[in-house]
Every structure is written in structure tokens, then in C-alpha cells.
Amino acid sequence: MVIIGAGPAGLVLGNLLLRRGIDCVVLERTGRDAGGKRARAGFLAAHTVRILARNGLDGGLRRRGREHSVCEFRTEDGRFRLDYRRLGRSEPHTVYPQHELVADLQEQFLVAGGRLHFDTEALAVTDADGPAPSVTAREADGRPRRWRARYVAACDGRHGAGRRSIPPGTVRRHHRDHGVTWLGLLAEAPPSMDAVGYALHPNGFAGHMARSAEITRYYLQCARGTRADAWTEERIWDELALRMRAADYGPLRRGPLLQRTVVDLESDVLEPLRHGSLFLVGDAAGLISPSAAKGANLAVLEAEVLAHALTDALAHGDPEPLDRYSERCLVHIWRAQEFSHWMVRLLHDASDTEGTSLFQERLRHSRLASLRTSSTQQDWFAENYVGI
Ligand SMILES: Cc1cc2nc3c(=O)[nH]c(=O)nc-3n(C[C@H](O)[C@H](O)[C@H](O)COP(=O)(O)OP(=O)(O)OC[C@H]3O[C@@H](n4cnc5c(N)ncnc54)[C@H](O)[C@@H]3O)c2cc1C
């Protein structure tokens, strides 16, 4: 079994296969320390925590993760809070930065004797339509090498070699550009509030998400095409304070910005998540906008489903669960896409994609009013916000 990519998807899959005695190798383009530094996700759903726990992969998050269950919406009509642990059939999130999870998973894989080749870039998957696919990779020393396996899992993201290797016309691609861009910021500053903050302002959306006692993530909606270094730190903090309505609800705790990323909010799902012996997992299977924090959670869920199915096929000679892998995961992917899309439309002025329309703006206000006032809507929100 060859796994391309050592993000959450590839490393959960690798760890689970190793524990089940399935021979596998993970190929990772970057160096050993890179994955443990890439700050992205932070909110893990309860289901994700359960998957990690039942496979003994939750040591770090049990020690350093924190439960979280409150979000606060700030608008020109005031603010309201939802404690989603107390709503519907919902549960709390666990806040645990993705780069720490990746570092833990990497460590556990290596300690358990897993083969993880860093600085090894997969270039192409060939013969995937037969029973003996192979992966051509460029090794750390620059030399090409061919890996042969019974199956290949592409866990290398949306732009990886797995997706690229699928012949045109064999899978269907569903792509949507939500027309919204975020400047993602990681600040060396304690959280400014005890909730996830979603601020809706005429200048655009702003978000606040605690990562740890010292680090906070902020998001600022910006114009498409904005460069990550286009704004000074002072302008960023002033704009965050304005949109978060710090004058009314308390100042932001400022600090140096450690990281800036520009994220165009897009969705991109392939169907089916398989081409012969090649399986797609995580962002390679379905990119989702980060508006509802679902991507890493889906990656972990899909990795577990695939690990079970591969074990059935390789250890017990039963290929049926593998045949159902795509169908099973797509149910979760589309449910998450639907909720993320709803969040995009809740949090942003729709003008970017749908023309400046007062009608759209009124709908958005009404959506927010329902969330503020209807307990049924709040239960629905809570269940979808944390569930995958
Ligand atoms: C700003 C932001 C915030 C987010 N917040 C959240 C959140 O709060 N909650 C949540 O659930 N999700 C969140 N997400 C989404 C989440 O980060 C992704 O969905 C998740 O990283 C997907 O995991 P993955 O393993 O599929 O892919 P990745 O994490 O992208 O890992 C892919 C790996 O493959 C490697 N690779 C790529 N190409 C090759 C190649 N050719 N050969 C070898 N290796 C290769 C890469 O180096 C990488 O290590 C967020 C995303 C962003 C951008």
C-alpha cells in the first residue's frame, strides 16, 4: 500500500493500517519538520476525537486540547451567543491545532515502525486501472523511484499527484468558487474573547478563533487578489477591531502576526472517490471551504473508513467495503458541503458572486434573525456545526 501525503488523512490512514498489520509506505513531499509547522485547522469534532481515541492516537490532544462550545455573532443589531453543547444533540469541539496533531501522528507512526519518506514528491500514479498500480516519485536526493503496490491512497490534497493522475472523463468534478477571500492570520496574542467570534460588518466578515492561551487565529474578508503582505499589521488590527466592534464589546489583545495566508473559499469534490486501485482521501477527495471547520474532520473520518475497507480487502479477502468506500464518504462530504455553503452565505455579503443585491442582503439578515430567535434553527445549527 502506498500513501501519498503525510497530512491528517495520510497519517491517520498509515497509523491505522500499521496497527492492523497492513504493509504501507507514506511518501511526503516536504521535510520532517514542515508538517508540524503548517498552521491550519484547530477545531476537531467530537467524532474525530473518538476516532483518534479508539485507535490510541489521542495522547497529545488529551493532554493539550481544550473543549470548546460557544460561538458569538456580532452584527449591527447587537450580539448573541450560542452554547452549542447545550443545543440539540450536539457536543463540544476540541481545540487542538492541526500542526500539533500532524506532529503527534507522525511521531506515533515512526515509533510504531512506519516507513515515512520525507522530501519525496510523488509525480504520478500509473496503471491505477489495474491490480498493480505504481507511484513514480522524486526522492530526497533528486533521483526518481518507482513504488509498486496493490493499492494507492492519494492523501496529497487538492493539487496533489493523485488527483492529477486520474484520466480526464473518468470521474466527475464538482467545483464551486464561493467568490469570497479570507486573509487568514495567526497572532501571537491571547484570545480576545471566550468564544469563537463571527463578526458581520459592512466592510466584510471578521473571525476570531482561539488556538491556545498564547495564539489566536483571526480571519478578515478581503478583496479577491489581495496579497498576503498587502496590509500593515496596524491596519490589520485596526480593521479587525472595527469589524469585531471592539469599541462596544471590548478591545482585541494585539500581538505580532506569525503567519498570513490568503484563502479563496472554494469547494471541489470528485465523484467517485476512486479510480481503479487509486483512492482519494481528505482534501484530495473533496476540498471544502474553511467556513465551518470541516476539512480536517472529514479527512480523519475518510481515513478510518478506508483503513477498515483496506483491511477487509487485504487481510480477509473481502473487497465489498472498498467498493462502498466512495458512496459512504460522499454522504458525509455532501452534508458538510451543504452546511459550509450555508455558513458562507450567512457570514458574507453575497455581492461578490451574485451581484450587489439588496434582496440577497435581506435574506442574509433574515437567516441570522432565525438563528438568533428560533430554538429549532439553533438545534439544527448545533448539530451541523459539530457533526460530520
Ligand atoms: C485557513 C484554514 C483553516 C482551516 N480550519 C479548519 C478547522 O478549523 N477544522 C477543520 O476540520 N479543517 C480546517 N481546515 C481544513 C483542513 O486544514 C484540511 O481539510 C486538512 O488539512 C486536510 O487534510 P489532508 O491530509 O487531506 O491534506 P493536507 O493537510 O493538505 O496534507 C496533504 C499532504 O500531502 C503532501 N503532498 C502534497 N503533494 C504531494 C506530492 N505530490 N507528493 C508527496 N506529498 C505531497 C503535503 O505536503 C501535505 O503534507 C482549514 C483550512 C484552512 C486553509
Side-chain angles (χ1 to χ4, degrees):
M1 176 81 209
V2 176
I3 298 170
I4 311 172
L11 288 170
V12 168
L13 180 61
N15 273 294
L16 267 55
L17 291 178
L18 204 60
R19 269 149 216 262
R20 288 161 177 76
I22 308 287
D23 183 32
C24 62
V25 61
V26 180
L27 311 180
E28 168 56 45
R29 183 180 55 183
T30 62
R32 182 170 185 148
D33 295 330
K37 286 189 183 136
R38 240 188 334 244
R40 286 167 83 182
F43 277 67
L44 299 181
H47 187 74
T48 306
V49 175
R50 279 196 287 276
I51 291 176
L52 297 170
R54 68 175 163 249
N55 291 290
L57 300 172
D58 63 337
L61 78 87
R62 251 190 301 118
R63 281 192 300 278
R64 297 187 297 279
R66 286 173 305 105
E67 283 199 353
H68 182 92
S69 68
V70 182
C71 53
E72 179 172 309
F73 292 84
R74 296 180 175 182
T75 74
E76 56 265 52
D77 300 326
R79 63 175 169 173
F80 67 93
R81 295 187 140 217
L82 297 177
D83 183 348
Y84 46 87
R85 188 198 327 232
R86 301 185 197 293
L87 294 166
R89 290 187 286 122
S90 190
E91 299 174 278
H93 277 115
T94 297
V95 181
Y96 192 59
Q98 176 171 325
H99 61 281
E100 291 192 34
L101 177 66
V102 166
D104 296 349
L105 292 169
Q106 190 176 292
E107 184 63 23
Q108 275 168 298
F109 186 69
L110 293 171
V111 167
R115 289 184 292 154
L116 174 43
H117 289 245
F118 294 105
D119 299 305
T120 300
E121 181 177 10
L123 302 174
V125 182
T126 44
D127 301 323
D129 46 4
S134 58
V135 178
T136 318
R138 189 172 26 237
E139 301 269 288
D141 60 7
R143 286 196 213 149
R145 176 164 177 185
R146 180 172 288 236
W147 296 85
R148 292 177 205 284
R150 175 64 192 90
Y151 295 109
V152 175
C155 305
D156 51 350
R158 177 196 179 185
H159 300 294
R163 267 192 173 217
R164 274 202 316 269
S165 303
I166 298 176
T170 51
V171 298
R172 174 177 284 185
R173 180 178 174 216
H174 304 273
H175 177 257
R176 183 170 175 106
D177 180 345
H178 299 285
V180 173
T181 299
W182 283 358
L183 186 55
L185 305 155
L186 206 63
E188 192 175 2
S192 300
M193 53 197 283
D194 61 351
V196 169
Y198 295 112
L200 284 71
H201 189 275
N203 285 8
F205 164 74
H208 162 284
M209 278 135 219
R211 283 291 184 264
S212 70
E214 302 87 28
I215 305 287
T216 308
R217 212 189 224 309
Y218 287 93
Y219 293 112
L220 263 184
Q221 186 183 355
C222 56
R224 181 62 54 97
T226 301
R227 286 196 341 264
D229 60 359
W231 293 23
T232 62
E233 289 210 4
E234 195 184 4
R235 182 175 170 204
I236 287 173
W237 282 112
D238 288 349
E239 190 63 25
L240 282 169
L242 178 76
R243 296 189 196 179
M244 303 284 308
R245 296 178 168 82
D248 297 326
Y249 304 127
L252 301 184
R253 299 166 86 174
R254 300 186 179 203
L257 297 176
L258 304 173
Q259 229 183 66
R260 303 172 181 212
T261 348
V262 174
V263 189
D264 292 332
L265 271 54
E266 288 177 82
S267 296
D268 201 314
V269 182
L270 296 190
E271 233 177 39
L273 308 177
R274 174 180 190 174
H275 172 63
S277 306
L278 171 65
F279 291 85
L280 302 159
V281 194
D283 281 4
L287 182 79
I288 186 163
S289 93
S291 56
K294 298 289 185 201
N297 292 294
L298 284 170
V300 171
L301 178 125
E302 292 155 26
E304 191 193 44
V305 173
L306 186 59
H308 284 301
L310 284 166
T311 309
D312 284 337
L314 292 168
H316 312 301
D318 176 10
E320 206 249 332
L322 262 191
D323 292 340
R324 287 193 294 116
Y325 164 74
S326 179
E327 188 191 330
R328 276 193 67 187
C329 290
L330 281 165
V331 171
H332 298 282
I333 289 174
W334 282 116
R335 178 112 185 245
Q337 289 284 355
E338 195 279 323
F339 183 68
S340 284
H341 183 70
W342 182 88
M343 283 290 277
V344 172
R345 295 276 70 93
L346 181 80
L347 300 176
H348 306 93
D349 180 342
S351 60
D352 278 358
T353 40
E354 289 157 18
T356 312
S357 150
L358 201 53
F359 181 78
Q360 295 293 346
E361 198 41 33
R362 293 284 187 272
L363 291 184
R364 190 161 75 106
H365 263 261
S366 177
R367 213 171 279 146
L368 204 63
S370 295
L371 191 58
R372 190 172 53 228
T373 56
S374 157
S375 61
T376 310
Q377 181 77 358
Q378 291 173 1
D379 286 349
W380 173 86
F381 172 82
E383 195 174 317
N384 282 277
Y385 192 54
V386 188
I388 43 167

